[in-house]
Amino acid sequence: METGGFGEAWDLLFHPPVAHRGLWSPDGAPENSLGAFQAACAAGYGIELDVQLSADGEAMVFHDGKLARMTGAAGRVNDHSAADLGEMWLAGTDERIPTLLETLALIGHRAMVHVELKTPFGEVGPLEQRVHEVIADHNGPLCVIGFNPYSHAWFADRYPGVLRGLDSYSYVQAPKMAEAQRRAFADLEHVEIARPHFLALGLDMLPSARAAEYRAKGYPVVAWTVRSPEEWDAVKDGCDNLIFEGFAPEQDGRA
């Protein structure tokens, strides 16, 4: 696999470890907040974050499909304008929902950023386009990740210079997915559609022969979401880095 064009971003896939939704904590900065991203930068970690479109087409940094858990507000991200979302408090703190643009402006060149696109099936295009408009002017290392293989294919066809990582897991908990598709995704058959540069795999499929096969083919494997040193010890021999929360892994990414 050709990786020379990615430079620093490729090297940073392997270390340091990546803070899941930033370096957040229940009694500190909430997940996917500017405070959590600032904390990750200060600690020397990479950053994983989630993006969705607002009603007026802005890329907002927020994970859940519904707003209730993190803000107490009704509805979904795409029910509200970017301005309205930017006024919503996160988890009762003084942090608010940030845009991807202001998030990357804060991070700058201080951390590798994994931008996870939360694109629903059948809706590929608008979020990808807005994310590309934002990241095109970013001066720091980053990659795009996500579970929708057609989102990755969109980037591969239009902007192949963007580093891409396909998220996947066992798909046991995927009741809305057709059984044939669930089995295919669990077996990583959608890698052919996505054409990623690396894989971000859930702990429920690590270690596995299929993951080892792709790693041997030259696809680095990043494990998610690792919540203890013991979980990392169980899979690290077959992985190249980790996305973590709830503990502080060593900075070489191999603990």
Side-chain angles (χ1 to χ4, degrees):
M1 183 185 300
E2 178 57 48
T3 61
F6 298 118
E8 182 185 21
W10 181 260
D11 293 338
L12 291 171
L13 279 181
F14 301 90
H15 65 276
V18 181
H20 187 232
R21 307 179 195 172
L23 198 61
W24 65 275
S25 66
D27 55 354
E31 65 182 56
N32 276 327
S33 69
L34 295 182
F37 303 141
Q38 174 63 34
C41 289
Y45 293 119
I47 292 168
E48 183 268 356
L49 54 82
D50 307 279
V51 291
Q52 304 182 51
L53 277 184
S54 64
D56 51 350
E58 187 56 85
M60 308 299 298
V61 179
F62 196 83
H63 174 268
D64 293 4
K66 296 182 178 180
L67 292 162
R69 179 178 69 91
M70 289 301 297
T71 71
R76 308 173 72 88
V77 171
N78 62 9
D79 294 329
H80 300 267
S81 69
D84 288 344
L85 292 164
E87 293 299 316
M88 294 182 184
W89 305 110
L90 288 170
T93 70
D94 59 358
E95 297 279 352
R96 306 194 191 198
I97 301 175
T99 65
L100 179 61
L101 184 63
E102 62 188 340
T103 296
L104 293 182
L106 172 78
I107 296 169
H109 202 278
R110 295 184 295 158
M112 170 72 169
V113 183
H114 294 235
V115 180
E116 181 178 328
L117 281 73
K118 310 295 286 187
T119 306
F121 283 91
E123 299 182 22
V124 171
L127 177 58
E128 286 73 15
Q129 184 60 47
R130 180 54 186 154
V131 166
H132 185 264
E133 290 169 357
V134 173
I135 68 176
D137 290 329
H138 181 55
N139 68 351
L142 58 72
C143 60
V144 296
I145 62 175
F147 293 89
N148 190 328
Y150 302 100
S151 175
H152 290 280
W154 188 96
F155 274 97
D157 290 339
R158 294 165 178 80
Y159 304 106
V162 174
L163 182 60
R164 305 179 302 279
L166 177 65
D167 275 303
S168 198
Y169 66 113
S170 69
Y171 284 92
V172 171
Q173 301 296 326
K176 295 182 179 180
M177 184 177 286
E179 180 62 20
Q181 185 182 44
R182 189 196 68 75
R183 289 197 305 267
F185 280 26
D187 200 38
L188 297 177
E189 292 179 15
H190 56 327
V191 170
E192 184 175 350
I193 298 170
R195 290 169 281 157
H197 302 106
F198 69 97
L199 302 176
L201 301 181
L203 292 180
D204 59 356
M205 65 181 307
L206 292 171
S208 69
R210 196 68 166 144
E213 176 186 338
Y214 274 99
R215 191 169 182 243
K217 291 179 180 179
Y219 293 87
V221 170
V222 179
W224 62 266
T225 299
V226 181
R227 294 182 169 86
S228 71
E230 292 75 22
E231 286 186 342
W232 180 230
D233 285 342
V235 302
K236 66 181 181 182
D237 288 345
C239 299
D240 298 284
N241 203 353
L242 68 156
I243 297 173
F244 73 93
E245 68 178 35
F247 76 110
E250 293 183 8
Q251 295 288 45
D252 67 358
R254 291 162 179 81

